[in-house]
Amino acid sequence: MSPTISSSLCTVAALSGRPGRRAGQPGGNKRAVAQPLAAAAVTEAPPAVIAPPPRPVIGAPRRRGGRGVDGGPDELVAWKSIRQERWEGALEVEGKLPTWLDGTYLRNGPGLWDLGDYGFRHLFDGYATLVRVSFRDGRAVGAHRQIESEAYKAARRHGKVCYREFSEVPKPDSFKSFVGQLASLFSGNSLTDNSNTGVVRLGDGRVLCLTETVKGSIVVDPDTLDTVSKFEYEDKLGGLIHSAHPIVTDTEFWTLIPDLIRPGYVVARMDAGSNERQFVGRVDCRGGPAPGWVHSFPVTENYVVVPEMPLRYCAANLLRAEPTPLYKFQWHLESGSYMHVMCKASGKIVASVEVPPFVTFHFINAYEEKDEEGRVTAIIADCCEHNADTSILDNLRLHNLRAFTGEDVLTDARVGRFRIPLDGSPFGELEAALDPEEHGRGMDMCSINPAHLGKEYRYAYACGARRPCNFPNTLTKIDLVEKTAKNWHEEGAVPSEPYFVARPGAVEEDDGVAISMVSAKDGSGYALVLDAKSFKEIARAKFPYGLPYGLHCCWVPRDK
């Protein structure tokens, strides 16, 4: 049910954003904050729900036909482009939200896959859509807005792809323009800044949207969802690409910068409030012609874990105008798979071991294993591991997601647990942390209680599977001690990454809620709130329109 004008006016005023900050004042290092970029005109917007400036509440978006938009009555809203640039309004709450849940949930992801009659081919190509749900006093206000990257604005202006996306390349008008594209690729000018992957809250309060390219680091205002500025790194470390998932705490920021020229990785850290990355150390690759893909990586209290998997960056594929089955990567099984451990304090490599081949997008957590005398003997690192099967990448083509015929085609996945010995042994271990059947042999898009980052932990929250399926379709709570899982499922629904929010004053690790955005079978969308202990539904806050699938999320607590 669409929110009424009266409820929207009072509830938006009470709930939108975080009290204690004004719109357009993200805080932190003022050198990185510019005036908000001019918003592109909203197209196809139905009549607005009236609200006082500066936050208009705009009516729910309509959809139109066309390639890749409304491909048929059975096509899920999860894979349809959202056709309105922004919306905000009070949400209808079904159930009872905890009154202690006080803050803003943000989710980032690709939400626009169409330019006129042209449709993108891959899930990861879509232009970024930021979704917000603000909770207060048992009520909720929702909003979404397109992130105004240069790639998005250029595409809107010219009606075509203008930057190199994950699988899309601008079509050159001539051989001369093709040569120019190659030159701009090496300089990084033609790489996308479409920050459609992650969203993190930095220690100084700034909110940053990210993707694999360094230039795709964009500051947004969590209150208004305005695109504020580029996040400019004020150092000389350079790099065109980096891990899409840095490790962020209240005091620091850790990242990996792959080196494609001298195959390896630079480990860097940044203090909260700073834009200057500091060199910590370097890891040279032990195999293959290029570094392995490092979409994410884990840390412990004292160490950074650098994964080197045989799915490696490929310069030749970066140059291609048409995508290969592995896109920007190549599979080099013969090159070996390795896990490196670097000391945070000294930058020295304390372990470099060979492990069984693996494929992972997302690490879950890592911690230090100690003996009875308190000495660190090994590092335990957990990830969502796809049984060394690279087909997961090509399975994420939008055609495959939209054309599901009921066959069980989702690539198997497990909680892959690495044990990396620190005694000089040349080999590490990789095995399933629990029976993958517990979560339907599907496992990705994970979060934990942030208080256990880098420490021993028991619970993880992720997306699993109820088969047959072609995409993760459940939410699952993993118990790594009991080696069991609890699963939430709704027929035909596509949930996104569950994010754990602890109850204030909580002592137990799972005392809190898990929040996920769900694209429902009937075309609707809602924020689902589960009790993290029982993993039962508490409430859902319902949007008046369907939401496309999104990737990663964060929590912005309300300033007291």
Side-chain angles (χ1 to χ4, degrees), residues 158-451:
H158 299 289
K160 64 180 182 178
V161 177
C162 300
Y163 290 82
R164 286 177 174 262
E165 304 296 341
F166 181 79
S167 75
E168 300 286 338
V169 175
K171 299 299 184 284
D173 299 324
S174 63
F175 179 75
K176 183 178 179 180
S177 66
F178 172 70
V179 173
Q181 278 190 22
L182 295 185
S184 64
L185 171 62
F186 290 110
S187 68
N189 290 336
S190 69
L191 295 178
T192 187
D193 66 340
N194 176 24
S195 56
N196 67 359
T197 307
V199 55
V200 297
R201 178 181 179 269
L202 303 181
D204 63 359
R206 287 178 292 176
V207 173
L208 191 62
C209 291
L210 297 151
T211 189
E212 304 263 336
T213 62
V214 172
K215 68 187 288 188
S217 302
I218 294 178
V219 181
V220 298
D221 187 312
D223 296 346
T224 64
L225 303 187
D226 284 343
T227 299
V228 177
S229 69
K230 292 283 191 180
F231 187 93
E232 302 288 352
Y233 293 95
E234 299 171 348
D235 54 60
K236 297 181 180 180
L237 292 184
L240 299 180
I241 55 176
H242 60 179
S243 173
H245 295 286
I247 302 295
V248 180
T249 70
D250 289 341
T251 59
E252 57 188 3
F253 172 110
W254 289 87
T255 189
L256 297 183
I257 307 171
D259 185 342
L260 303 183
I261 306 301
R262 293 188 305 126
Y265 313 88
V266 169
V267 178
R269 68 174 298 277
M270 188 168 65
D271 291 325
S274 170
N275 286 40
E276 183 178 354
R277 299 168 298 181
Q278 301 167 8
F279 176 85
V280 175
R282 176 185 166 87
V283 174
D284 291 321
C285 288
R286 288 182 54 182
W293 188 21
V294 284
H295 185 73
S296 69
F297 65 99
V299 301
T300 70
E301 292 181 281
N302 298 294
Y303 301 101
V304 177
V305 180
V306 180
E308 183 184 344
M309 66 177 172
L311 184 62
R312 298 179 180 273
Y313 296 97
C314 176
N317 285 353
L318 283 169
L319 296 173
R320 292 179 187 271
E322 291 297 319
T324 68
L326 293 181
Y327 301 93
K328 312 305 182 188
F329 314 102
Q330 277 189 342
W331 181 245
H332 290 277
L333 184 61
E334 77 289 346
S335 70
S337 305
Y338 307 93
M339 297 290 280
H340 312 279
V341 180
M342 178 180 289
C343 175
K344 286 181 175 178
S346 68
K348 293 182 178 179
I349 299 171
V350 300
S352 180
V353 302
E354 187 170 2
V355 295
F358 65 100
V359 168
T360 185
F361 298 163
H362 301 115
F363 279 85
I364 303 172
N365 196 24
Y367 60 90
E368 298 161 14
E369 185 178 79
K370 299 179 180 180
D371 62 17
E372 294 179 353
E373 298 180 3
R375 293 173 297 195
V376 179
T377 58
I379 302 297
I380 305 299
D382 294 338
C383 69
C384 302
E385 204 277 306
H386 298 282
N387 294 317
D389 186 350
T390 61
S391 67
I392 182 63
L393 267 176
D394 211 40
N395 286 349
L396 296 178
R397 286 186 300 148
L398 287 165
H399 172 76
N400 293 333
L401 298 176
R402 290 168 172 162
F404 180 54
T405 59
E407 297 180 13
D408 193 18
V409 294
L410 177 67
T411 304
D412 281 3
R414 59 181 177 167
V415 179
R417 169 158 288 186
F418 293 95
R419 185 179 185 278
I420 309 166
L422 300 187
D423 61 2
S425 300
F427 298 104
E429 302 169 5
L430 171 60
E431 60 184 18
L434 74 163
D435 184 350
E437 293 293 344
E438 285 284 329
H439 48 81
R441 306 189 318 280
M443 175 56 48
D444 217 332
M445 314 306 288
C446 47
S447 73
I448 63 168
N449 184 328

Side-chain angles (χ1 to χ4, degrees), residues 410 439-445 462-467 469 471-477 487-489 495 498:
L410 177 67
H439 48 81
R441 306 189 318 280
M443 175 56 48
D444 217 332
M445 314 306 288
C463 293
R466 179 173 292 186
R467 294 177 181 268
C469 59
F471 195 80
N473 59 0
T474 72
L475 297 171
T476 186
K477 175 188 178 181
N487 299 288
W488 174 93
H489 176 260

Side-chain angles (χ1 to χ4, degrees), residues 479-490:
D479 186 329
L480 293 163
V481 174
E482 296 292 335
K483 299 187 181 301
T484 58
K486 295 178 180 178
N487 299 288
W488 174 93
H489 176 260
E490 183 174 273

